[in-house]
Amino acid sequence: MKTRVRFAPSPTGHLHVGGARTALFNYLFAKKTGGTFVLRIEDTDELRSSEESIKSIFSSMKWLDLKWDEGTMPDLSEKGDFGPYMQSKRESLGIYKKYAEQLLKEGKAYYCYCSTEELDAMRKKAQLEKRSSKDEDRCRNLSAAQIEEFRGQGRKPVIRFRMPDDGQTVFEDLIHKHVKFENKLLYDFIMIKASGYPTYNFACVIDDHLMEMTHIIRGDDHISNTPLQLNVYKALGWQPPLHAHLSMILGQDGARLSKRHGATSIAEYQKRGFLPETMKNYLALLGWGTSDSQDIFKKGELEEKFNLSGCQKSPAAFDHVKLAWMNGEYIRQLSKEELFEAAGPYLKDFGLVLDKSNPRHLDIVAIEQEKYKLLGEVGSLVEFFFKDVSYDESVINKTLKAPDIEKILNGIKKTYSEISEFNDVVIEAKTREFAKTNGFKNGQVFHPVRVSVSGRTQGPTLFKMIEYLGKDEVIKRIDKTLSLIITQSTQK
Ligand code: GLU
């Protein structure tokens, strides 16, 4: 049997970590099993769904390189034999209504005329009296006369599913194993709202069946929806797909991951400078692992190794420190050209427009490649190469007021101006030689040189930095520092 799985986002915001993990696991499962990965848009929440959200979700999926085979495509066209794949379009074709009517006719669903306020009041009362609120589903057994009366009052009904009163709903989850719900605790959920729109629990069953899904892989926040859905399958005489509920994702404090824990939307991680490869790798490890706990996966390796048996049911903790470490690992794997490409948009946002054909620019961007954790931080680390240096008070006081500072900087300026092959090896040798012949410690020379050419007390390896700045620029900057020192001392 060929597997068919789907990612079915509700377009009510950006793609978040949890949704992206669901999309990824479905994608990986389809790849691994040679199946089909479908994208269905569940836009039955008329008030909260938006095209903007659809676009944002698609753009994050594209960034993560999660391509789907079938469904609503990025240009909103439909691809595949089971369309349309957008629930609002399916609704207007009357697909859900047809099955709702069938269930009504068979007495497996009923019209409910209660207003939201009435229902709330009834539920509260039932809760206080420690009864199941099902006892309060007063429209369950309406007589024809009562229906007539409600209609006469102009009430707009919803359609509810009639849950079995007794017995259990049991299923074998591929991750959670044996799952069991008492039917008397399941409520008569709304299938069709007063607006005529289907609800998630109903539309999902109709579509998963008609689209011939073989496996439902989704977050375990849906596990309590599954018995409701399984009862609909049963009522319609359909064979349900297999279910695999992915473990919950928690923040470091043990609470379910939410905005409180910092960025949770994929777009936000992208903005901060995580690589898509990092995110994909990190998301894969949220609730899944290989038996040898592999951390980093080469391109294509996840597609090969992923399996549902490696999924765990215990919650997975989202660890920002590990994510940043992993991004550093991925950044280190990039060639100079790839790093430049990847960092380009971040540098541009930072106000640095660099030239790909200038090898020096590539060198500069890569100068601290070993240290980068986020592409978003590259700009501030290399900007001094391209902008005039300014020195802040503490730097001046700490380094540029050292004894012999003028003598050191003048001497270095002279030394550098005499170098014909201005590369790091020569620069280092000459700097050390200057220190030695003039009786200075290396640090006494290195620190002020670093500060005067970069405005910073810390930064990339000194001699490479000087090489990349170039002789003229280095001399210009030393001159500037010297004039600053002189002005400062004459002002005293
Ligand atoms: N639209 C639902 C959601 O975004 C899909 C749940 C499911 O996969 O069944 O949570």
Side-chain angles (χ1 to χ4, degrees):
M1 180 185 60
K2 210 165 151 16
T3 58
R4 288 177 58 80
V5 288
R6 83 313 191 260
F7 175 50
S10 301
T12 56
H14 298 296
L15 182 65
H16 285 90
V17 165
R21 193 258 321 242
T22 301
L24 173 65
F25 281 31
N26 276 285
Y27 162 87
L28 292 175
F29 181 76
K31 287 279 163 229
K32 176 66 188 280
T33 56
T36 305
F37 178 40
V38 178
L39 192 127
R40 181 171 76 224
I41 299 285
E42 299 206 326
D43 56 346
T44 55
D45 185 337
E46 314 98 298
L47 296 177
R48 292 172 60 226
S49 299
S50 71
E51 199 171 310
E52 205 186 324
S53 299
I54 298 180
K55 292 210 169 120
S56 163
I57 292 169
F58 283 176
S59 128
S60 290
M61 297 219 10
K62 179 166 186 229
W63 183 69
L64 288 169
D65 198 23
L66 299 179
K67 293 196 188 77
W68 53 101
D69 309 297
E70 197 180 303
T72 303
M73 302 314 277
D75 62 359
L76 301 187
S77 66
E78 304 273 2
K79 181 178 165 197
D81 299 333
F82 300 84
Y85 295 87
M86 209 185 265
Q87 289 187 329
S88 54
K89 289 191 189 161
R90 299 175 69 73
E91 193 278 333
S92 53
L93 294 176
I95 294 177
Y96 308 110
K97 201 164 154 235
K98 174 178 159 198
Y99 294 101
E101 274 166 6
Q102 180 186 329
L103 292 174
L104 278 170
K105 205 152 61 197
E106 293 169 359
K108 294 171 180 165
Y110 59 92
Y111 284 111
C112 171
Y113 294 88
C114 300
S115 68
T116 324
E117 297 76 33
E118 285 167 337
L119 286 169
D120 282 348
M122 285 190 281
R123 296 231 167 88
K124 266 196 203 117
K125 189 160 171 269
Q127 236 170 20
L128 282 174
E129 293 167 12
K130 295 205 163 49
R131 288 180 289 113
S132 150
S133 61
K134 218 184 223 174
D135 302 342
E136 297 290 352
D137 286 331
R138 63 174 181 172
C139 298
R140 265 196 142 201
N141 301 301
L142 291 180
S143 66
Q146 282 170 309
I147 293 178
E148 212 40 55
E149 189 190 330
F150 283 140
R151 285 209 174 135
Q153 292 169 0
R155 289 181 184 241
K156 278 205 136 200
V158 299
I159 302 177
R160 285 183 186 277
F161 184 78
R162 192 185 297 277
M163 275 297 158
D165 294 313
D166 318 304
Q168 292 173 330
T169 300
V170 181
F171 63 99
E172 294 305 320
D173 189 276
L174 296 171
I175 298 169
H176 288 252
K177 309 299 171 208
H178 193 67
V179 185
K180 194 165 74 182
F181 286 87
E182 293 297 330
N183 287 342
K184 65 172 182 291
L185 299 177
L186 304 176
Y187 64 107
D188 288 358
F189 74 93
I190 297 177
M191 294 162 32
I192 306 281
K193 299 180 251 182
S195 62
Y197 251 59
T199 57
Y200 154 68
N201 271 314
F202 186 58
C204 170
V205 171
I206 305 300
D207 291 347
D208 284 339
H209 175 75
L210 296 180
M211 294 179 184
E212 299 182 7
M213 293 300 143
T214 58
H215 295 73
I216 304 300
I217 305 171
R218 61 185 173 200
D220 69 3
D221 47 327
H222 284 290
I223 211 161
S224 59
N225 287 323
T226 306
L228 308 183
Q229 296 174 7
L230 287 174
N231 276 293
V232 179
Y233 280 103
K234 199 167 162 196
L236 289 165
W238 293 343
Q239 172 74 29
L242 296 170
H243 285 86
H245 287 95
L246 308 172
S247 65
M248 199 183 288
I249 305 172
L250 305 179
Q252 287 287 287
D253 59 356
R256 187 187 280 274
L257 190 70
S258 73
K259 288 217 180 84
R260 268 188 320 111
H261 297 100
T264 58
S265 83
I266 297 300
E268 184 61 32
Y269 287 101
Q270 178 180 5
K271 204 166 116 202
R272 289 194 189 173
F274 286 94
L275 288 166
E277 294 79 13
T278 309
M279 287 315 286
K280 198 169 159 183
N281 191 148
Y282 188 73
L283 290 171
L285 296 176
L286 289 174
W288 174 78
T290 56
S291 50
D292 57 352
S293 304
Q294 185 174 343
D295 262 329
I296 303 276
F297 292 80
K298 286 201 278 296
K299 198 173 165 57
E301 217 181 343
L302 283 171
E303 283 81 346
E304 230 170 76
K305 293 195 169 166
F306 181 80
N307 50 13
L308 288 175
S309 56
C311 289
Q312 86 216 11
K313 69 174 178 188
S314 50
F318 195 93
D319 180 348
H320 282 98
V321 176
K322 182 164 179 190
L323 176 64
W325 162 80
M326 194 178 273
N327 205 43
E329 291 288 310
Y330 272 94
I331 289 176
R332 279 188 279 284
Q333 285 176 17
L334 300 176
S335 66
K336 255 188 208 174
E337 290 72 21
E338 286 166 338
L339 175 64
F340 190 88
E341 246 349 278
Y346 299 89
L347 293 168
K348 203 166 152 216
D349 282 350
F350 193 79
L352 288 176
V353 182
L354 305 187
D355 177 8
K356 196 157 107 185
S357 62
N358 183 339
R360 186 66 359 130
H361 286 186
L362 264 67
D363 286 339
I364 291 173
V365 171
I367 195 166
E368 294 212 84
Q369 183 165 6
E370 286 300 309
K371 285 192 211 152
Y372 301 146
K373 290 220 159 64
L374 290 174
L375 294 174
E377 70 194 9
V378 179
S380 63
L381 292 171
V382 302
E383 70 173 328
F384 70 86
F385 280 99
F386 306 99
K387 293 187 175 163
D388 277 346
V389 198
S390 56
Y391 308 90
D392 71 45
E393 198 69 26
S394 68
V395 168
I396 294 172
N397 288 336
K398 202 169 144 216
T399 318
L400 300 183
K401 284 191 179 160
D404 293 322
I405 185 73
E406 278 179 64
K407 188 175 168 201
I408 292 169
L409 289 181
N410 274 315
I412 282 294
K413 188 180 131 188
K414 181 160 180 293
T415 307
Y416 288 177
S417 64
E418 285 162 4
I419 297 177
S420 53
E421 254 190 84
F422 204 72
N423 65 45
D424 65 327
V425 180
V426 179
I427 299 165
E428 177 165 3
K430 292 283 179 194
T431 312
R432 287 182 189 279
E433 188 186 306
F434 168 82
K436 201 166 169 197
T437 39
N438 292 281
F440 296 122
K441 289 200 192 99
N442 285 336
Q444 250 179 304
V445 178
F446 294 0
H447 288 310
V449 171
R450 173 182 292 284
V451 167
S452 93
V453 300
S454 70
R456 302 171 184 214
T457 51
Q458 279 176 342
T461 144
L462 180 63
F463 304 107
K464 271 269 174 249
M465 175 172 103
I466 293 174
E467 176 190 330
Y468 292 169
L469 277 164
K471 187 157 133 180
D472 293 347
E473 184 64 22
V474 166
I475 290 176
K476 202 172 105 195
R477 290 184 183 197
I478 294 177
D479 268 337
K480 190 179 161 195
T481 321
L482 277 166
S483 60
L484 187 91
I485 294 168
I486 293 161
T487 331
Q488 293 244 331
S489 55
T490 50
Q491 270 170 2
K492 266 197 244 150

